[in-house]
């Protein structure tokens, strides 16, 4: 550490030079935070957290993406459909009016289903009866497509529908329920039936704000007598109705509540999270349990997305009328992913969260239209007819990307004094040598530093399931790469920005655990 020294003045007296002090800023494991004044951001958060994921004890650089399934038409893959039946599983992709089997990597074969409406989004549910474990796929235009574990069919067909085919389906108490496009009517099938006569229920007299039924689901509610399952119906205008009973024909079928929330974002707006139901809306992701006790305005204060509320609002405003919103979880990595519709051809943005801690971050660079988890791996569908495996490799389809950690501003314990930052040490652990770029930002300057040039790493090692045992070299263990770096800044509030761009094919394992600074205090007037 630099030591203080005494210096003689011109009149012979001695003057003590400023003393270097050490400062500490924790790794922003509490995540991306723009939900308060810049000066009031909580400790352990970040103003920008791009291509980074906040673990509980460090922030890691995300992995890249690699082509998994190719050979489909040069059009958007808008739906990925996992199917699980006992120990067997299948994986399907919806692209340009066809459904392809993408269970294995490589070039796909002929379409398993073709001739569907090419502009309609596919929605699906899985349902088991005595005949088989079924996959039902609908799009609001064509007849329901059924997969029984062996082949695709349209029989048994759903009959009795009027006003169009089903656009969204889900199971509730051993029956299939569904809604149509632009309708306030929902339909349900017979007990344990995958087809046959459908019965309609008109909800226009219940929902007073109009619009149409967007989606529905089941939800288990806890009461003094135990858990009971209810039917949840959600409209495009943000009305939510909850019903209890075996089915709408049941004599005890009753409405348990009618609630108002902000407008939901698309049909893929529902996520079952623990014992609650999360609904993705224009005001953020809100828990259904809170919607039952709070009004629409108050719900904003309990939204899961409150830490990024301004960014969420900007994203919603910029994407008015666009389709492609989706909320999905990747349990293996405790990750929640929000896919944002594309505002332009080059837009590739997702908001991600650590579902255990609630910490947020932003991913940039994945050309994703939809996500799904298959065999514990994360995949997304691109705009050019491919399925990519996410969080693997060190590049996005051959392109470099940049990790940016811009911590929330800190006064380092002395808000009235200016600081002259001299050096910064990023506490980084990595499996191979990396050279991060460090920029000291001061006094609430929110300009994101320019992307650094790529660090070429010697990353390598064996890949599980493809390496030769006793011959291949395993990846290196994590190494502490913490070094003091010259990085200057002069201001009362400081934020050392850590950035890293890699050029490597290996999945990066780069972790930031803390940031240290060496600085000198000035005086209150600067």
């Amino acid at each position: 550490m630099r030591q203080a020294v005494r210096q003689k003045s011109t009149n012979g007296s001695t003057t003590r030079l400023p003393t270097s002090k050490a400062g500490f800023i924790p790794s922003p494991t509490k995540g991306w935070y723009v939900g308060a004044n810049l000066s009031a951001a909580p400790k352990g958060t970040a103003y920008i957290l791009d291509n980074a994921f906040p673990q509980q004890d460090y922030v890691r650089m995300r992995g890249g993406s690699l082509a998994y399934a190719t050979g489909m038409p040069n059009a958007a893959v808008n739906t990925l459909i996992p199917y699980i039946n006992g120990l067997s599983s299948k994986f399907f992709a919806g692209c340009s009016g066809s459904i392809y089997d993408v269970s294995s990597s490589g070039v796909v074969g002929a379409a398993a289903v073709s001739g569907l409406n090419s502009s309609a989004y596919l929605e699906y549910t899985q349902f088991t009866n005595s005949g088989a474990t079924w996959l039902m796929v609908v799009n609001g235009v064509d007849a329901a497509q059924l997969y029984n574990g062996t082949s695709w069919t349209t029989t048994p067909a759903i009959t009795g529908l009027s006003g169009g085919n089903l656009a969204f389906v889900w199971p509730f108490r051993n029956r299939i329920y569904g809604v149509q496009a632009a309708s306030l009517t929902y339909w349900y099938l017979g007990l344990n039936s995958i087809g046959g006569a459908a019965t309609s229920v008109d909800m226009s007299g219940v929902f007073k704000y109009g619009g149409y039924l967007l989606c529905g689901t089941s939800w288990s509610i806890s009461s003094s007598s135990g858990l009971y399952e209810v039917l949840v119906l959600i409209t495009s205008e943000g009305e939510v109705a909850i019903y209890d009973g075996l089915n709408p024909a049941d004599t005890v079928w009753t409405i348990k509540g009618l609630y108002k929330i902000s407008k939901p974002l698309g049909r893929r707006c529902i996520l079952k999270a623990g014992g609650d139901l999360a609904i993705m809306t224009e005001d953020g992701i809100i828990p259904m349990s809170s919607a039952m006790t709070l009004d629409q305005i108050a719900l904003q204060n309990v939204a899961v997305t409150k830490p990024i509320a301004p960014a969420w609002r900007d994203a919603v405003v910029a994407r008015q009328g666009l389709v492609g919103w989706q909320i999905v979880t990747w349990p293996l990595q405790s990750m929640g992913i929000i896919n944002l519709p594309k505002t332009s051809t080059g837009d590739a943005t997702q908001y991600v969260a650590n579902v255990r801690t609630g910490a947020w971050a932003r991913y940039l660079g994945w050309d994703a239209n939809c996500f799904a988890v298959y065999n514990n791996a994360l995949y997304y569908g691109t705009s050019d007819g491919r399925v990519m495996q996410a969080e693997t490799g060190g590049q996005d389809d051959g392109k470099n990307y940049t990790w940016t950690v811009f911590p929330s501003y800190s006064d380092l314990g002395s808000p009235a004094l200016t600081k002259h930052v001299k050096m910064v040490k990023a506490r980084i652990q990595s499996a191979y040598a990396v050279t991060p770029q460090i920029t000291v930002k001061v006094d609430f300057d929110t300009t994101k530093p320019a992307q650094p040039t790529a660090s070429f790493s010697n990353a390598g090692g064996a890949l599980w399931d493809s390496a030769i045992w006793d011959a291949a070299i395993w990846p290196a263990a994590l190494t502490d790469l913490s070094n003091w770096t010259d990085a200057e800044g002069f201001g009362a509030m400081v934020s050392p920005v850590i950035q890293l761009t890699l050029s490597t094919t290996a999945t990066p394992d780069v972790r930031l655990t803390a940031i240290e600074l060496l600085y000198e205090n000035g005086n209150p007037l600067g």
Side-chain angles (χ1 to χ4, degrees):
M1 182 180 292
R2 298 181 180 182
Q3 301 294 320
V5 298
R6 292 181 182 273
Q7 175 178 293
K8 281 191 174 183
S9 64
T10 54
N11 61 10
S13 62
T14 59
T15 303
R16 181 177 292 276
L17 294 177
T19 302
S20 294
K21 302 178 66 176
F24 177 85
I25 295 177
S27 182
T29 54
K30 294 182 180 179
W32 179 28
Y33 193 95
V34 289
N37 186 285
L38 287 173
S39 63
K43 187 177 181 179
T45 61
Y47 177 72
I48 296 175
L49 199 57
D50 285 350
N51 293 327
F53 187 73
Q55 302 284 139
Q56 290 179 285
D57 50 349
Y58 58 86
V59 171
R60 68 168 175 84
M61 186 177 189
R62 74 159 170 86
S65 59
L66 296 171
Y68 169 77
T70 61
M72 289 174 281
N74 186 10
V77 175
N78 61 31
T79 309
L80 292 175
I81 308 170
Y83 168 86
I84 301 174
N85 179 13
L87 298 178
S88 65
S89 62
K90 298 289 283 186
F91 197 27
F92 299 99
C95 178
S96 189
S98 297
I99 299 175
Y100 294 86
D101 188 338
V102 293
S103 303
S104 300
S105 61
V107 180
V108 301
V113 176
S114 59
L116 304 178
N117 185 284
S118 60
S119 60
Y121 269 60
L122 301 176
E123 304 294 344
Y124 65 93
T125 192
Q126 190 167 305
F127 184 78
T128 301
N129 59 17
S130 59
T133 295
W134 298 89
L135 194 62
M136 177 182 280
V137 179
V138 299
N139 63 7
V141 180
D142 301 294
Q145 306 295 311
L146 304 173
Y147 180 72
N148 59 14
T150 303
S151 59
W152 287 87
T153 180
T154 55
T155 57
I158 300 174
T159 61
L161 294 173
S162 59
N165 285 307
L166 300 180
F168 190 91
V169 288
W170 72 96
F172 172 69
R173 294 197 175 185
N174 300 97
R175 295 175 187 267
I176 292 289
Y177 286 71
V179 302
Q180 297 169 317
S183 170
L184 279 173
T185 296
Y186 73 88
W187 300 76
Y188 65 98
L189 300 180
L191 187 67
N192 294 320
S193 297
I194 200 70
T199 304
S200 66
V201 180
D202 184 2
M203 296 291 291
S204 57
V206 176
F207 294 123
K208 55 188 176 182
Y209 290 96
Y212 56 91
L213 276 168
L214 194 66
C215 55
T217 189
S218 61
W219 181 33
S220 295
I221 295 180
S222 178
S223 69
S224 57
S225 58
L227 291 174
Y228 67 99
E229 191 178 25
V230 296
L231 180 77
V232 180
L233 299 166
I234 304 174
T235 75
S236 59
E237 301 306 302
E239 285 186 278
V240 182
I242 296 179
Y243 281 86
D244 182 31
L246 291 177
N247 62 76
D250 187 3
T251 55
V252 296
W253 183 257
T254 55
I255 187 168
K256 304 297 288 186
L258 183 63
Y259 310 98
K260 183 68 175 70
I261 61 176
S262 182
K263 289 184 178 181
L265 297 172
R267 298 190 190 275
R268 301 172 180 177
C269 64
I270 303 172
L271 177 68
K272 291 183 178 180
D276 212 336
L277 194 65
I279 306 176
M280 186 169 59
T281 76
E282 291 182 345
D283 286 341
I285 300 173
I286 59 102
M288 188 61 218
S289 58
S290 297
M292 298 172 70
T293 58
L294 300 174
D295 64 24
Q296 182 179 337
I297 301 301
L299 282 172
Q300 297 180 42
N301 294 323
V302 297
V304 176
T305 46
K306 185 179 178 182
I308 59 168
W312 185 272
R313 174 59 60 181
D314 290 345
V316 169
V317 170
R319 292 165 174 81
Q320 288 290 301
L322 299 180
V323 294
W325 291 94
Q326 183 187 17
I327 179 171
V328 66
T329 58
W330 186 15
L332 183 68
Q333 293 293 336
S334 300
M335 183 185 292
I337 304 107
I338 308 299
N339 193 55
L340 278 60
K342 297 181 181 302
T343 57
S344 62
T345 302
D347 185 16
T349 307
Q350 292 82 40
Y351 293 167
V352 298
N354 185 319
V355 295
R356 294 184 65 185
T357 66
W360 287 91
R362 181 174 63 173
Y363 281 10
L364 302 173
W366 287 350
D367 173 28
N369 293 288
C370 58
F371 282 86
V373 174
Y374 176 63
N375 286 344
N376 278 337
L378 182 66
Y379 298 89
Y380 65 84
T382 70
S383 299
D384 60 357
R386 295 180 297 160
V387 177
M388 309 290 290
Q389 183 175 351
E391 285 280 10
T392 188
Q395 295 178 308
D396 287 336
D397 197 18
K399 299 178 181 177
N400 296 334
Y401 58 93
T402 299
W403 179 48
T404 298
V405 180
F406 190 149
S408 297
Y409 272 96
S410 172
D411 60 18
L412 300 178
S414 52
L417 299 178
T418 57
K419 294 93 181 167
H420 183 188
V421 178
K422 300 292 189 66
M423 304 182 78
V424 175
K425 179 193 286 187
R427 288 283 185 182
I428 287 179
Q429 291 180 309
S430 175
Y432 42 83
V434 295
T435 307
Q437 172 180 285
I438 301 177
T439 308
V440 178
K441 308 293 285 187
V442 298
D443 295 341
F444 306 116
D445 177 5
T446 57
T447 306
K448 184 178 179 179
Q451 176 177 313
T453 56
S455 294
F456 291 87
S457 74
N458 293 320
L463 297 177
W464 191 263
D465 257 357
S466 63
I468 300 174
W469 191 263
D470 262 351
I473 300 174
W474 293 106
L478 287 173
T479 302
D480 185 2
L481 300 179
S482 307
N483 293 300
W484 285 104
T485 302
D486 289 328
E488 287 198 290
F490 193 87
M493 306 292 291
V494 300
S495 174
V497 182
I498 314 299
Q499 291 177 290
L500 178 64
T501 303
L502 290 180
S503 181
T504 177
T505 57
T507 304
D509 189 357
V510 181
R511 309 176 182 186
L512 177 68
T513 56
I515 306 172
E516 297 178 47
L517 304 94
L518 194 65
Y519 69 98
E520 296 172 353
N521 271 334
N523 59 58
L525 299 179

